[in-house]
Amino acid sequence: MSDSLLVDTIGELVTNGPGTRPLGILRDAAVLIEEGRVAWVGSSATAPAADRRLDVGGAAVLPGFVDSHAHLVFAGDRADEFAARMAGQPYTGGGIRTTVRATRAATDDELRATVRRLRGEALRQGTTTMEIKSGYGLTVADEARSLRIAAEFTEDTTYLGAHVVPAEYADRPDDYVGLVCGPMLAAAAPHAKWIDVFCERGAFDVDHARAILACGQAVGLGVRVHANQLGPGPGVQLGVELGAASVDHCTYLSDGDVDALASSLVDSMCHEGPHSTTVATLLPGAEFSTRSPYPHARRLLDAGVTVALATDCNPGSSYTSSMAFCVALAVREMGMTPAEAVWAATAGGARALRRDDIGVLTPGARADLVVLDAPSYLHLAYRPGVPLIRQVIRNGVPQ
Ligand code: NIG
Ligand code: FE
């Protein structure tokens, strides 16, 4: 017997669907949830009857955040490295090997406990979907177990064996690429949906990155790329060439990179019109924590590129699980309007994961909702650092 829940007396409902653009806002609204899905959305005055009713008293409600980029399977932290950066040291990615050592030494249960803690932390802050990458194991066994553990918490798991070349392969990177494309991929693929490469000076060059991503595609994994984080480079255009779902970071972009992303525009049948096949996922927590320039979101948006926001939660470059913090940074530092930032943190993240069941509150979507302790989504950027998430509903279940 099905049990329905009416979330009622919503002062401002962000649907990311039809309604007042760009967020598809409805006022004085209600959402009917049945069997974990949105069954009906409309005016409170015409809401259908339900088994249970949750009166939110005029609060704002929005889709749960979709954090499409996070590295949660690791051990230890790098607070000292953060302190050194704040005292002027640059971020180079060199600390990744520190986390690799700690991760290899950890037990499965220690890794699982860290993922559970961070996933719970994010959920309490309104994140109802979270992608999780491997990338701190970098052996066949450690990448496979990282993904196995990640898969206990999300269906969006990403194989990042090509995070950096580990110390034991430092003088033979070709051999490491062979491992990543061979036995490591074979062990990782059963637990992974996506493949990712850190295409950057000091990590993997464009030829290695192309080879690795092509191997992943050949076994059915979708493509994502860490691109143009530390300097200009070929990663973004490689991602577009391969039809990546997302290129992530995009801190240093040339006109050619923006043009390439814009050229991936396709007409969508949905109400939002054209969008880019390859999403640009911006990770302002990383720029904050590495004291780097923020990406130019406005330039991408003006070119018509689809933009997502995500946390990049990891112990090195961005140890935050707060999507609201990323929204606030994007508004204050990256030229995004509050509406664009909230869309990017919800529907944009869903696009970056090629999912149409999340990031929207329209009939048929998964019933992932966040009730704010505020009358409007605007408060997410307007009241930075304030715990505004009053209630999270995931799969129709109040958390
Ligand atoms: O997305 N850039 C590569 N990977 C992570 C950082 C990893 C780390 O420093 O531990 C990132 O920023
Ligand atoms: Fe990352």
Side-chain angles (χ1 to χ4, degrees):
M1 163 125 185
S2 81
D3 174 43
S4 56
L5 170 66
L6 186 72
V7 182
D8 204 1
T9 336
I10 300 170
E12 177 186 272
L13 175 66
V14 172
T15 67
N16 289 334
T20 315
R21 285 175 74 115
L23 293 176
I25 286 180
L26 303 178
R27 307 226 173 253
D28 303 318
V31 178
L32 180 69
I33 299 171
E34 280 173 355
E35 291 174 0
R37 298 266 158 185
V38 175
W40 176 92
V41 173
S43 157
S44 266
T46 59
D51 300 316
R52 289 176 297 140
R53 181 169 171 271
L54 175 68
D55 182 338
V56 301
V61 169
L62 61 148
F65 293 123
V66 178
D67 187 352
S68 61
H69 184 138
H71 309 243
L72 303 190
V73 194
F74 65 84
D77 74 29
R78 293 178 8 228
D80 293 347
E81 187 188 308
F82 173 77
R85 277 204 300 278
M86 295 305 107
Q89 290 283 317
Y91 174 80
T92 60
I96 294 172
R97 285 182 178 171
T98 308
T99 301
V100 169
R101 273 195 302 277
T103 304
R104 288 176 179 176
T107 65
D108 290 10
D109 281 344
E110 286 166 344
L111 295 178
R112 187 174 287 116
T114 296
V115 179
R116 183 173 293 116
R117 173 175 65 81
L118 292 170
R119 184 66 194 88
E121 186 181 284
L123 182 64
R124 288 192 296 281
Q125 297 173 93
T127 299
T128 46
T129 300
M130 203 165 186
E131 180 258 21
I132 303 178
K133 301 176 195 297
S134 68
Y136 291 116
L138 310 188
T139 65
V140 172
D142 287 309
E143 285 298 298
R145 78 164 171 155
S146 296
L147 287 161
R148 216 173 40 241
I149 291 168
E152 294 171 17
F153 296 89
T154 186
E155 59 194 85
D156 282 292
T157 52
T158 300
Y159 168 45
L160 181 57
H163 199 181
V164 287
V165 176
E168 64 275 18
Y169 279 89
D171 52 0
R172 41 193 187 109
D174 290 348
D175 290 353
Y176 186 66
V177 172
L179 182 73
V180 168
C181 291
M184 196 184 279
L185 175 64
H191 313 290
K193 181 165 170 186
W194 303 98
I195 185 165
D196 192 346
V197 172
F198 187 18
C199 181
E200 196 84 36
R201 198 186 297 269
F204 293 86
D205 67 24
V206 69
D207 295 329
H208 280 158
R210 184 184 283 108
I212 291 163
L213 294 170
C215 291
Q217 272 181 317
V219 298
L221 302 183
V223 169
R224 350 186 42 81
V225 188
H226 275 73
N228 303 51
Q229 175 185 8
L230 305 179
V236 165
Q237 296 194 38
L238 175 67
V240 174
E241 172 194 320
L242 296 177
S246 177
V247 289
D248 297 41
H249 283 286
C250 299
T251 311
Y252 295 90
L253 293 181
S254 67
D255 289 344
D257 297 329
V258 177
D259 290 348
L261 283 163
S263 76
S264 80
L265 285 186
V266 291
D267 263 323
S268 117
M269 294 306 289
C270 70
H271 49 88
E272 288 150 26
H275 64 270
S276 56
T277 304
T278 300
V279 172
T281 299
L282 309 182
L283 309 167
E287 279 75 39
F288 176 88
S289 175
T290 60
R291 243 195 232 294
S292 304
Y294 289 93
H296 286 238
R298 190 74 265 143
R299 192 171 160 210
L300 290 162
L301 290 163
D302 289 347
V305 176
T306 303
V307 170
L309 287 169
T311 62
D312 197 16
C313 183
N314 75 79
S317 65
S318 181
Y319 202 3
T320 181
S321 55
S322 170
M323 288 292 282
F325 175 59
C326 296
V327 166
L329 286 179
V331 171
R332 177 63 180 82
E333 304 288 347
M334 288 157 53
M336 295 179 81
T337 65
E340 287 167 339
V342 166
W343 190 92
T346 51
R351 286 277 171 76
L353 294 174
R354 300 236 161 119
R355 305 240 337 227
D356 56 16
D357 59 329
I358 54 175
V360 293
L361 293 176
T362 50
R366 217 169 73 173
D368 291 350
L369 287 69
V370 167
V371 182
L372 295 187
D373 239 332
S376 169
Y377 73 87
L378 286 169
H379 286 229
L380 288 167
Y382 174 46
R383 306 198 64 215
V386 178
L388 292 179
I389 308 301
R390 183 198 297 173
Q391 167 116 53
V392 180
I393 297 174
R394 185 162 184 269
N395 268 329
V397 180
Q399 302 293 302

Coordinates of all heavy atoms in Angstrom, one line a residue, residues 346-379:
T346 N 22.3 22.2 -8.8 CA 21.2 21.2 -8.8 C 21.1 20.6 -10.1 O 21.7 19.6 -10.4 CB 19.9 21.9 -8.3 OG1 19.7 23.1 -9.0 CG2 20.0 22.3 -6.8
A347 N 20.4 21.3 -11.0 CA 20.2 20.8 -12.4 C 21.5 20.7 -13.2 O 21.7 19.7 -14.0 CB 19.2 21.7 -13.2
G348 N 22.4 21.6 -12.9 CA 23.7 21.6 -13.6 C 24.5 20.3 -13.2 O 25.1 19.6 -14.1
G349 N 24.5 20.0 -11.9 CA 25.2 18.8 -11.5 C 24.6 17.5 -12.1 O 25.3 16.6 -12.5
A350 N 23.2 17.6 -12.2 CA 22.5 16.4 -12.8 C 23.0 16.3 -14.3 O 23.3 15.1 -14.7 CB 21.0 16.6 -12.7
R351 N 23.1 17.4 -15.0 CA 23.6 17.3 -16.4 C 25.0 16.8 -16.5 O 25.3 16.0 -17.4 CB 23.6 18.7 -17.0 CG 22.2 19.3 -17.3 CD 21.8 18.7 -18.7 NE 20.4 19.1 -18.9 CZ 20.0 20.4 -19.2 NH1 20.9 21.3 -19.4 NH2 18.8 20.6 -19.4
A352 N 25.8 17.2 -15.5 CA 27.2 16.7 -15.5 C 27.3 15.2 -15.3 O 28.3 14.6 -15.6 CB 28.0 17.5 -14.5
L353 N 26.2 14.7 -14.6 CA 26.2 13.2 -14.4 C 25.3 12.5 -15.4 O 24.9 11.4 -15.3 CB 25.7 12.9 -13.0 CG 26.7 13.4 -11.9 CD1 26.1 13.2 -10.5 CD2 28.0 12.6 -12.0
R354 N 24.8 13.3 -16.4 CA 23.9 12.8 -17.4 C 22.7 12.1 -16.8 O 22.2 11.0 -17.2 CB 24.6 11.8 -18.4 CG 25.7 12.5 -19.1 CD 25.6 12.4 -20.6 NE 26.5 13.4 -21.3 CZ 27.4 13.1 -22.1 NH1 27.8 11.9 -22.4 NH2 28.1 14.1 -22.7
R355 N 22.1 12.8 -15.8 CA 20.9 12.2 -15.1 C 19.8 13.2 -15.3 O 19.9 14.3 -15.1 CB 21.2 12.0 -13.6 CG 22.4 11.2 -13.3 CD 22.2 10.0 -12.5 NE 21.1 9.9 -11.7 CZ 21.2 9.5 -10.4 NH1 22.3 9.2 -9.9 NH2 20.1 9.3 -9.7
D356 N 18.6 12.6 -15.7 CA 17.4 13.5 -15.8 C 16.4 13.2 -14.7 O 15.3 13.8 -14.7 CB 16.8 13.4 -17.2 CG 16.4 12.0 -17.5 OD1 16.4 11.1 -16.6 OD2 16.2 11.7 -18.7
D357 N 16.8 12.3 -13.7 CA 15.8 12.0 -12.7 C 16.1 12.8 -11.4 O 15.3 12.7 -10.4 CB 15.9 10.5 -12.3 CG 17.3 10.1 -11.9 OD1 18.3 10.7 -12.3 OD2 17.4 9.2 -11.0
I358 N 17.1 13.6 -11.4 CA 17.5 14.4 -10.2 C 17.7 15.9 -10.6 O 17.8 16.2 -11.8 CB 18.7 13.8 -9.5 CG1 19.9 13.7 -10.5 CG2 18.4 12.5 -8.8 CD1 21.2 13.3 -9.9
G359 N 17.8 16.8 -9.6 CA 18.2 18.2 -10.0 C 16.9 19.0 -10.4 O 17.0 20.2 -10.6
V360 N 15.8 18.3 -10.5 CA 14.5 19.0 -10.8 C 13.4 18.5 -9.9 O 13.5 17.4 -9.3 CB 14.1 18.7 -12.3 CG1 15.0 19.3 -13.3 CG2 14.0 17.2 -12.5
L361 N 12.4 19.3 -9.7 CA 11.2 18.9 -9.0 C 10.0 19.0 -9.9 O 9.2 19.9 -9.8 CB 11.0 19.7 -7.7 CG 12.1 19.5 -6.6 CD1 11.9 20.5 -5.5 CD2 12.2 18.1 -6.2
T362 N 10.0 18.0 -10.8 CA 8.8 17.9 -11.7 C 8.3 16.5 -11.6 O 9.0 15.6 -11.2 CB 9.3 18.2 -13.2 OG1 10.5 17.4 -13.4 CG2 9.7 19.7 -13.3
P363 N 7.0 16.3 -12.0 CA 6.5 14.9 -11.9 C 7.4 13.9 -12.5 O 7.9 14.0 -13.6 CB 5.1 15.0 -12.6 CG 4.8 16.5 -12.4 CD 6.1 17.2 -12.5
G364 N 7.6 12.8 -11.7 CA 8.5 11.7 -12.2 C 9.9 11.8 -11.7 O 10.6 10.7 -11.6
A365 N 10.3 12.9 -11.2 CA 11.7 13.1 -10.7 C 11.8 12.4 -9.4 O 10.8 12.2 -8.7 CB 12.1 14.5 -10.6
R366 N 13.0 12.0 -9.0 CA 13.2 11.5 -7.7 C 12.9 12.6 -6.6 O 13.2 13.7 -6.8 CB 14.7 11.1 -7.5 CG 14.9 9.8 -6.7 CD 16.3 9.3 -6.8 NE 17.2 10.2 -6.1 CZ 18.5 9.9 -5.9 NH1 19.0 8.8 -6.4 NH2 19.2 10.7 -5.2
A367 N 12.2 12.2 -5.6 CA 11.8 13.2 -4.6 C 12.9 13.5 -3.6 O 13.0 13.0 -2.5 CB 10.5 12.7 -3.8
D368 N 13.8 14.3 -4.1 CA 15.0 14.8 -3.4 C 14.8 16.3 -3.2 O 14.9 17.1 -4.1 CB 16.3 14.6 -4.1 CG 16.7 13.1 -4.2 OD1 16.0 12.3 -3.6 OD2 17.6 12.8 -5.0
L369 N 14.4 16.7 -1.9 CA 14.1 18.1 -1.7 C 14.8 18.6 -0.5 O 15.1 17.9 0.5 CB 12.6 18.2 -1.3 CG 11.4 18.0 -2.2 CD1 11.3 16.6 -2.7 CD2 10.2 18.5 -1.5
V370 N 15.1 19.9 -0.5 CA 15.7 20.6 0.6 C 14.7 21.7 1.1 O 14.3 22.5 0.2 CB 17.1 21.2 0.2 CG1 17.5 22.1 1.3 CG2 18.1 20.0 0.0
V371 N 14.4 21.7 2.3 CA 13.6 22.8 2.9 C 14.6 23.8 3.6 O 15.4 23.4 4.4 CB 12.6 22.3 4.0 CG1 11.8 23.5 4.5 CG2 11.7 21.2 3.4
L372 N 14.5 25.0 3.2 CA 15.5 26.0 3.8 C 14.9 26.7 5.0 O 13.6 26.9 5.1 CB 15.8 27.1 2.8 CG 16.6 26.7 1.5 CD1 16.9 28.0 0.7 CD2 17.8 25.9 1.8
D373 N 15.7 27.1 5.9 CA 15.3 28.0 7.0 C 15.4 29.4 6.5 O 16.1 30.3 7.0 CB 16.3 27.8 8.1 CG 15.6 27.3 9.4 OD1 14.4 27.6 9.5 OD2 16.3 26.7 10.2
A374 N 14.7 29.7 5.4 CA 14.7 31.0 4.7 C 13.5 31.0 3.7 O 13.1 30.0 3.3 CB 16.0 31.1 4.0
P375 N 13.1 32.3 3.4 CA 12.0 32.4 2.5 C 12.4 32.3 1.0 O 11.5 32.2 0.2 CB 11.5 33.8 2.8 CG 12.7 34.6 3.3 CD 13.5 33.6 4.0
S376 N 13.7 32.3 0.7 CA 14.1 32.3 -0.7 C 15.4 31.6 -0.9 O 16.3 31.7 0.0 CB 14.2 33.8 -1.2 OG 14.8 33.8 -2.5
Y377 N 15.6 31.0 -2.1 CA 16.9 30.5 -2.4 C 18.0 31.5 -2.4 O 19.2 31.2 -2.2 CB 16.8 29.8 -3.8 CG 16.8 30.8 -4.9 CD1 18.0 31.4 -5.5 CD2 15.6 31.3 -5.4 CE1 17.9 32.3 -6.5 CE2 15.5 32.3 -6.4 CZ 16.7 32.8 -6.9 OH 16.6 33.8 -7.9
L378 N 17.6 32.8 -2.5 CA 18.6 33.9 -2.5 C 19.5 33.9 -1.3 O 20.6 34.2 -1.3 CB 17.9 35.2 -2.6 CG 17.4 35.6 -4.0 CD1 16.5 36.9 -3.8 CD2 18.5 35.9 -5.0
H379 N 18.9 33.4 -0.2 CA 19.6 33.4 1.1 C 20.8 32.5 1.1 O 21.7 32.6 2.0 CB 18.6 33.0 2.2 CG 17.6 34.1 2.5 ND1 17.4 34.6 3.8 CD2 16.9 34.9 1.7 CE1 16.5 35.6 3.8 NE2 16.2 35.8 2.5

